[in-house]
Amino acid sequence: MQTNIIKAIKVSETKNILLLIEDLKDLKKYSLSEKEIDYIRMQKELNNKDFIAINHLNNWILVKFIKKEKEPYLIAEEYRKFGDKILGLINENKIDSINIIDSNGKNSNIALSIAEGMALGNYEFLKYKTEDKDKQNSLKTVSILSDKINIKEIEEVNIIIDATLRARTLVNEPVCYLNAKMLAEEIEKMHKETSVKVEVMNKTKIEALKMGGLLAVNKGSVDPPTFTFLEWKPQKAINAQPIIFVGKGIVFDTGGMNIKQGKNMEEMKCDMSGAAAVASAIYAIAKLNLKVWVIGLIPATDNRPSGNAYVPGDIIKMHNGKTVEVLNTDAEGRLILADALSYAQKYKPELVIDIATLTGAAHAAIGKYGIVAMGAKSDKEMEQLKQSGNNVYERIVEFPFWEEYDELVKSNIADIKNIGGAYAGAISAGKFLQHFVDYPWIHLDIAGPCFNDSKDSYRGNAGTGVGVRLFVDFIKNKEKNKK
Ligand code: BES
Ligand code: MN
Ligand code: ZN
C-alpha cells in the first residue's frame, strides 16, 4: 500500500513527531523536558549532530536541524534522501504514522521533500512473497503540519508518487506475467482511472501499418507484439500540436540470436522501463488535469531467439519505407522505436521525446546517476528538460550529436544498419533513430538509472520509475509558463 501524505491541522504531543528546526529556540513549544532540550543542545553543539532521536514511552520525538546553504534543487534532494534514511528507524519501531512539524513556518518545502523521500523509499514489491508478510514496512501515513502548505500541493505530490510507484511495479513484473499483451492490458487498466484514451493495436494492425522493425524483433517470440496509443487531450489545451512520448517496451531482452552472455541478461525485464515511464507519466498528467495535449506511443514485444527469429544479415523495411540491415539482433530497441517515431510524424507534433533503455554504452558512460540525452531542433526544450531533470534529480547529460557520427550507421547494402562501431554506442543508437524523425525531438537513454541491483536511497531496489517525475515536472512547467 502506498504511503499517503496528508496535511495535519494540529498534532497531539503523544504522536510520533519529526520536528524541523533551525534554532534551539524553535524547540520550546513542544513536549520536551529541560533535560531533553539540554541533551539536544549537547548533541548539536558538542557532537555536531543535526539529527537527534528521543524515545518517549509511547512516541518518538525526532529533531532535525535544517540547513539551507545550497541551491534549492540540491536542498530538495538532500531532504528526499533524509526522508528515506529515517525510514529504517520508523519501520524498525513499527511506527505507522509520522507527523512532520515545520516549527518556524519557513520549511514547508523541505517538509514536503522529506515526505516525498519517505513515500518513495517506503515502496515494496511484495506480490510474489508468500513468507515474511509480517515484515512489511509499517509506515502508512506522513502528515505535515505547516501554515505554508496547502492540500492541493500535497495531493499533487501523492499523485506523482503513485504514478512513479506504478511504473516501478510494471518494471518489477517478470515477463512470465508481463508479456507485450499484458503490458498493454495493465496500461488499459491503469487508465480506467483517468479519461485518457487508450487504444491497443494488435499484430494484424501492426502488419497493416507495415511496422517492419517491431515485427522483425517479434519474429522469434511466441507472443504477439502490441502497439499502444494513449492520448490526453484536455479542453483548452495550451498547445495546438501534441507533445508525444515514445517508450521502449521490450518486455524482455534476451538479445535474440545474438544472445546475451553471463549476467547481462539477468535484469532484462527492465527493458520496458521507457514504456512504464510513458504510461505512468501520462497517468499523472491526466490526474493532475494539466492543460497540455499529450500522446504516448508504446511499441512492445519480447526479444528472443527461436526457429524463425530474425538474424544478423536480415534486411527489413520500416514503417517509413527505409531499409535496415540488421547486424545485431540485440540492437532491437532502436528498431521498435524507429517505427513508433515514424508513426508519430502524422500528428505533426510540437515535440517528441522518446525514452528507452537503449544502450549499455550510456550506462557505461555515466553510470546510474543520470539520463543520457540527444536532440535535434529542440534546443529550448532540451534546456527546459534539463531544468526539470534538476528539479526532480533525474539529471540530464546531453551528448554530442555532431553530423560526423552519421557515418556510423551507414550500410553498404541497405539505407542504414542497426549498429555503429566500437565507440560512441549511445550516440550511434541516437543517430539511427534520427533517420525516423522530422520534428523537434529529444532522445533519452535510461539504461543507467532504470534499475538498481541494491537499494539506492528513495529510488529503491530494482525498478526506479525514472522518467515519470521528470516528464510530469516538464509538462507542469509547460502549462505554468504558457498561462
Ligand atoms: N536493452 C539493452 C540495453 C541495456 C543494457 C539496458 C543494460 C539496460 C541495461 C539493449 O537492447 C542492448 O542490448 N543494446 C546493445 C546494443 C549493441 C548490440 C549495439 C548493447 O548496449 O550492448
Ligand atoms: Mn538488446
Ligand atoms: Zn533492449
Side-chain angles (χ1 to χ4, degrees):
M1 203 188 74
Q2 189 186 326
T3 310
N4 201 25
I5 307 173
I6 58 174
K7 179 176 163 78
I9 307 302
K10 72 177 215 260
V11 173
S12 114
E13 302 197 333
T14 60
K15 295 280 176 66
N16 296 299
I17 287 171
L18 170 60
L19 255 175
L20 309 184
I21 64 169
E22 288 185 71
D23 192 287
L24 279 167
K25 71 178 187 312
D26 297 336
L27 277 175
K28 281 198 298 269
K29 301 164 241 168
Y30 304 96
S31 60
L32 292 160
S33 65
E34 291 286 314
K35 258 177 148 177
E36 285 170 333
I37 292 176
D38 276 345
Y39 171 76
I40 292 167
R41 174 182 296 115
M42 197 189 69
Q43 290 297 317
K44 170 72 178 155
E45 285 169 5
L46 265 62
N47 297 336
N48 215 7
K49 292 230 163 109
D50 64 6
F51 177 67
I52 299 115
I54 294 179
N55 186 2
H56 283 175
L57 274 180
N58 295 311
N59 65 331
W60 285 81
I61 309 283
L62 310 175
V63 177
K64 176 71 175 170
F65 286 85
I66 301 298
K67 269 208 305 267
K68 293 178 282 193
E69 289 160 2
K70 297 188 243 179
E71 280 186 66
Y73 82 92
L74 293 172
I75 295 173
E77 177 65 1
E78 178 182 338
Y79 287 101
R80 273 182 220 115
K81 288 197 333 216
F82 169 72
D84 174 81
K85 201 165 126 202
I86 60 172
L87 282 176
L89 183 151
I90 289 171
N91 285 316
E92 263 163 42
N93 290 287
K94 298 270 170 255
I95 291 173
D96 68 353
S97 93
I98 182 103
N99 300 272
I100 305 177
I101 299 180
D102 171 21
S103 69
N104 65 6
K106 291 182 192 156
N107 294 309
S108 63
N109 286 343
I110 286 179
L112 202 51
S113 292
I114 294 172
E116 184 187 15
M118 282 180 174
L120 287 169
N122 209 39
Y123 169 80
E124 298 178 287
F125 182 64
L126 297 171
K127 180 176 167 190
Y128 296 100
K129 286 267 186 205
T130 63
E131 293 169 2
D132 300 336
K133 282 273 190 197
D134 56 324
K135 290 200 186 128
Q136 273 183 43
N137 291 340
S138 56
L139 182 65
K140 301 281 179 287
T141 311
V142 180
S143 75
I144 299 176
L145 183 67
S146 174
D147 303 337
K148 295 283 144 52
I149 210 156
N150 62 51
I151 289 172
K152 189 163 170 263
E153 213 177 343
I154 292 178
E155 257 333 291
E156 272 186 18
V157 174
N158 276 325
I159 288 170
I160 296 166
I161 291 167
D162 177 26
T164 306
L165 303 186
R166 282 167 184 268
R168 286 186 191 175
T169 296
L170 287 174
V171 174
N172 292 338
E173 280 288 0
V175 66
C176 60
Y177 172 78
L178 199 80
N179 62 16
K181 222 169 151 177
M182 283 301 290
L183 173 63
E185 276 178 33
E186 288 288 336
I187 293 170
E188 281 182 314
K189 199 160 95 192
M190 174 192 306
H191 282 281
K192 289 239 161 70
E193 291 178 36
T194 69
S195 45
V196 169
K197 177 174 154 200
V198 181
E199 199 182 309
V200 180
M201 294 178 239
N202 63 15
K203 188 173 177 186
T204 312
K205 187 76 211 267
I206 292 165
E207 282 167 346
L209 288 167
K210 301 199 163 102
M211 294 191 166
L214 178 54
L215 290 164
V217 177
N218 180 253
K219 265 177 91 183
S221 176
V222 296
D223 296 325
T226 56
F227 188 91
T228 302
F229 168 90
L230 302 101
E231 183 173 40
W232 166 248
K233 193 174 183 183
Q235 282 181 353
K236 302 206 188 101
I238 58 161
N239 48 337
Q241 298 304 128
I243 293 172
I244 303 186
F245 294 118
V246 176
K248 173 177 172 182
I250 293 292
V251 286
F252 193 83
D253 185 11
T254 68
M257 298 305 284
N258 294 103
I259 197 159
K260 290 185 183 290
Q261 305 293 308
K263 284 191 169 291
N264 288 338
M265 208 193 295
E266 240 170 54
E267 294 174 352
M268 279 304 132
K269 68 177 182 182
C270 78
D271 216 14
M272 35 58 72
S273 297
V278 168
S280 307
I282 295 176
Y283 172 85
I285 288 163
K287 286 223 151 185
L288 295 171
N289 199 12
L290 299 180
K291 303 296 181 201
V292 183
W293 180 14
V294 176
I295 286 175
L297 300 176
I298 298 175
T301 175
D302 52 333
N303 180 28
R304 288 191 211 238
S306 89
N308 198 38
Y310 79 137
V311 293
D314 276 357
I315 295 173
I316 59 178
K317 202 178 186 97
M318 309 294 283
H319 175 261
N320 70 349
K322 290 198 185 185
T323 56
V324 173
E325 179 186 15
V326 174
L327 287 176
N328 192 316
T329 61
D330 200 8
E332 84 297 339
R334 62 198 75 180
L335 299 175
I336 72 166
L337 287 171
D339 282 339
L341 289 171
S342 157
Y343 185 79
Q345 290 187 15
K346 76 174 195 179
Y347 295 99
K348 307 230 172 320
E350 172 181 312
L351 170 71
V352 176
I353 305 181
D354 76 75
I355 180 163
T357 47
L358 206 60
T359 66
H363 193 176
I366 66 165
K368 66 180 177 185
Y369 301 106
I371 299 175
V372 167
M374 286 147 246
K377 298 195 279 189
S378 59
D379 291 351
K380 197 185 87 222
E381 285 89 349
M382 182 69 91
E383 285 317 306
Q384 293 166 345
L385 197 66
K386 283 179 184 168
Q387 189 60 54
S388 288
N390 284 348
N391 292 345
V392 303
Y393 224 68
E394 296 181 352
R395 289 165 297 177
I396 284 170
V397 182
E398 189 176 356
F399 273 24
F401 213 41
W402 303 313
E403 64 181 38
E404 283 77 1
Y405 295 108
D406 289 338
E407 292 298 317
L408 296 174
V409 293
K410 285 195 174 142
S411 164
N412 293 325
I413 185 171
D415 296 334
I416 47 175
K417 57 182 178 174
N418 80 329
I419 51 170
Y423 305 111
I427 300 170
S428 55
K431 278 293 170 187
F432 178 93
L433 295 177
Q434 199 176 10
H435 284 265
F436 301 87
V437 305
D438 68 350
Y439 37 64
W441 167 63
I442 294 173
H443 160 56
L444 301 178
D445 195 329
I446 53 167
C450 70
F451 200 89
N452 290 321
D453 54 14
S454 61
K455 186 168 158 71
D456 176 18
S457 183
Y458 66 88
R459 291 179 180 79
N461 193 3
T464 60
V466 67
V468 176
R469 292 164 59 246
L470 176 71
F471 285 168
V472 177
D473 191 81
F474 178 73
I475 296 296
K476 219 166 79 177
N477 290 337
K478 276 242 174 260
E479 188 198 54
K480 217 183 342 188
N481 296 336
K482 271 264 172 84
K483 262 188 180 166

